[in-house]
Amino acid sequence: MRIENEMLSRFKTEDLSLSMENNLSKELDFFFDNVMDTVVDYFQSREEVLVR
């Protein structure tokens, strides 16, 4: 019984770490998407100013 509990706790920890990694990955994707959008918008507006 003790071994079973130990194994279960390991699997739960692995699931938690996978979940955390997945959440972190999603947050980083969201962040970089926003950063890239902002960078693209900045350079598009700068180009318009330089062209005028």
Side-chain angles (χ1 to χ4, degrees):
M1 190 70 167
R2 182 176 175 191
I3 294 173
E4 289 174 0
N5 287 337
E6 194 172 316
M7 292 299 289
L8 283 174
S9 69
R10 285 185 185 172
F11 282 119
K12 287 180 183 178
T13 304
E14 288 176 7
D15 287 344
L16 180 61
S17 67
L18 287 175
S19 174
M20 289 177 71
E21 285 179 22
N22 194 13
N23 286 340
L24 179 60
S25 176
K26 285 179 183 178
E27 286 183 34
L28 286 172
D29 287 345
F30 180 74
F31 173 77
F32 285 114
D33 283 346
N34 285 332
V35 167
M36 291 309 296
D37 286 346
T38 303
V39 168
V40 167
D41 289 344
Y42 172 78
F43 283 108
Q44 282 178 345
S45 66
R46 183 163 172 93
E47 181 179 311
E48 288 175 6
V49 169
L50 291 174
V51 169
R52 289 181 179 181

